[in-house]
Amino acid sequence: MKKTQGILSYIFIILGAIMASFSVALILLPNDAIDYGTAGVAIIISKLTGLQLSLCMIAVFLPFLIAGYIFLGRRFTIKAAVGSIVYTLGLVFFEHIPFELNTEHFLAVAFGGAILGFGLSLILRYGGCIDGSEILANIIVKKLSDKTGRNYSMTPVLLAFNALVYLTVFVVIDATAALLSLLVYVVATSVIDHYTDHFESIKQVTIITQDPDGIISDIKKQLNKTCTIMNSRGAIAGENTTLFCYISYFELSVMKEIISSHPGSFSTVSTIDEIIR
C-alpha cells in the first residue's frame, strides 16, 4: 500500500510539472507574463541575457535544491528534484510547439495562471516542489522555529521574495509585464490555496494514540518538534493520549509516515492562520 502511494505521488508530481511547464512556455511567456518565485528570476535572467530558459532554470534552482537537501532531508529533495527536472524538460519540449491563444492578454494570463496553479497544487499536495522560494521560506521558518521554539508561517518570506521579483520586472522589463505577472501570482496562489488549504500556513496535527512516547520520540528525532500532551478517553478505545503538534506543510508527509508506523494511532490536520502569544 505504501509503495503504491509512493509511486502515485511521483506520477502526480510529474503531471503537475508538465502542466506548469505547459502554462509557462505556451501561455504566460508568449503573453508577456512572468512566473513568480525562482522561476520568475530565471525568466528575467533569460530575457536580459538571451540564454536558454531551461539553463537559467537549472542554474537558479540548483542552489536551492542543494540547500533543501542539507536542511530539509533526502526524501523532500528527491521529490523536488523529480519535479524540477520534469518541469525543465517540459519547458524545452513546449518551447518548440506551435501554440497560440487568440484572445486578450488579460484572459490568456488568467487562464495560464489557473493551469499553473493547478499544476503546482498537485506538486505541493504530493510532497514535491519546483520553486526555490518555497524551499528558502521553509528553511527560514524551520531555523526560526528550532531556535525560538515557536511556529512561524512562510507567508511573509514568500511575499517578500515575490515582491522583489515583481519590482525587478517593473524596473528592468516594463510595467505591463509586471502587472500581468502579478495577475499570474494572484490567480495561481488562489488555486493553490483552494487545493492545498493554505500550504504556507502553520498546520496543527492532532494525534490520538496509545503510544504517545513512541510518537513523541519519532517526531523529535525526525522533525525536531515537540508536542503538547493531553490525557483523553474514548467511548470504545478507553484511555488514550491526545497530542498536538505544529508543523509546516512540507513536513506533513513525514508526520503521516510517523503516525502510520504506530498502529492504532490516527490524526487530523487543520490550518492555523495565526498564533497569538
Side-chain angles (χ1 to χ4, degrees):
M1 185 66 177
K2 285 186 178 180
K3 185 176 181 180
T4 302
Q5 291 177 343
I7 293 172
L8 283 176
S9 69
Y10 282 102
I11 291 174
F12 283 117
I13 288 171
I14 290 170
L15 177 61
I18 292 173
M19 293 180 65
S21 60
F22 169 85
S23 173
V24 171
L26 296 183
I27 302 178
L28 300 183
L29 290 180
N31 286 280
D32 301 321
I34 290 176
D35 195 2
Y36 59 92
T38 52
V41 174
I43 293 171
I44 293 171
I45 294 173
S46 177
K47 284 182 173 290
L48 294 179
T49 63
L51 293 173
Q52 190 175 352
L53 177 56
S54 57
L55 294 178
C56 294
M57 288 287 184
I58 295 172
V60 172
F61 189 73
L62 188 58
F64 291 94
L65 191 63
I66 294 172
Y69 179 80
I70 295 172
F71 294 103
L72 304 178
R74 178 175 173 270
R75 183 187 294 106
F76 170 82
T77 307
I78 291 174
K79 288 188 174 181
V82 169
S84 62
I85 289 170
V86 174
Y87 177 71
T88 303
L89 292 176
L91 290 175
V92 174
F93 175 77
F94 288 123
E95 280 178 332
H96 298 90
I97 300 295
F99 180 84
E100 183 179 355
L101 278 180
N102 295 316
T103 185
E104 295 181 359
H105 281 341
F106 179 86
L107 293 176
V109 169
F111 179 64
I115 295 176
L116 175 65
F118 189 71
L120 294 177
S121 297
L122 284 176
I123 295 169
L124 291 168
R125 192 172 182 85
Y126 289 94
C129 176
I130 60 171
D131 189 79
S133 63
E134 293 158 5
I135 295 176
L136 175 64
N138 198 21
I139 291 172
I140 292 174
V141 166
K142 182 176 176 60
K143 285 293 182 182
L144 287 173
S145 179
D146 290 346
K147 186 174 182 180
T148 63
R150 298 179 177 181
N151 293 280
Y152 300 88
S153 171
M154 294 187 290
T155 301
V157 180
L158 293 174
L159 287 176
F161 190 98
N162 288 303
L164 289 174
V165 172
Y166 293 130
L167 180 61
T168 303
V169 174
F170 185 87
V171 172
V172 304
I173 301 179
D174 60 56
T176 301
L179 292 175
L180 289 173
S181 302
L182 184 59
L183 175 61
V184 173
Y185 178 77
V186 171
V187 174
T189 53
S190 296
V191 174
I192 291 171
D193 282 348
H194 177 74
Y195 286 104
T196 63
D197 190 25
H198 300 274
F199 85 96
E200 79 282 1
S201 299
I202 299 166
K203 303 299 176 183
Q204 176 183 292
V205 182
T206 303
I207 308 165
I208 298 177
T209 180
Q210 293 186 343
D211 183 22
D213 293 337
I215 290 181
I216 291 171
S217 176
D218 288 345
I219 291 174
K220 178 63 178 176
K221 181 180 178 180
Q222 298 185 43
L223 294 174
N224 196 28
K225 300 284 185 179
T226 186
C227 298
T228 298
I229 305 171
M230 182 175 70
N231 292 327
S232 54
R233 179 179 176 82
I236 297 176
E239 298 294 335
N240 51 45
T241 302
T242 301
L243 307 175
F244 299 94
C245 186
Y246 298 91
I247 59 176
S248 72
Y249 188 89
F250 292 106
E251 294 170 321
L252 274 176
S253 59
V254 178
M255 179 65 82
K256 290 177 181 178
E257 290 184 7
I258 292 173
I259 295 168
S260 64
S261 67
H262 295 268
S265 303
F266 70 94
S267 66
T268 60
V269 180
S270 56
T271 298
I272 305 297
D273 293 319
E274 182 179 4
I275 292 180
I276 301 174
R277 299 180 178 89

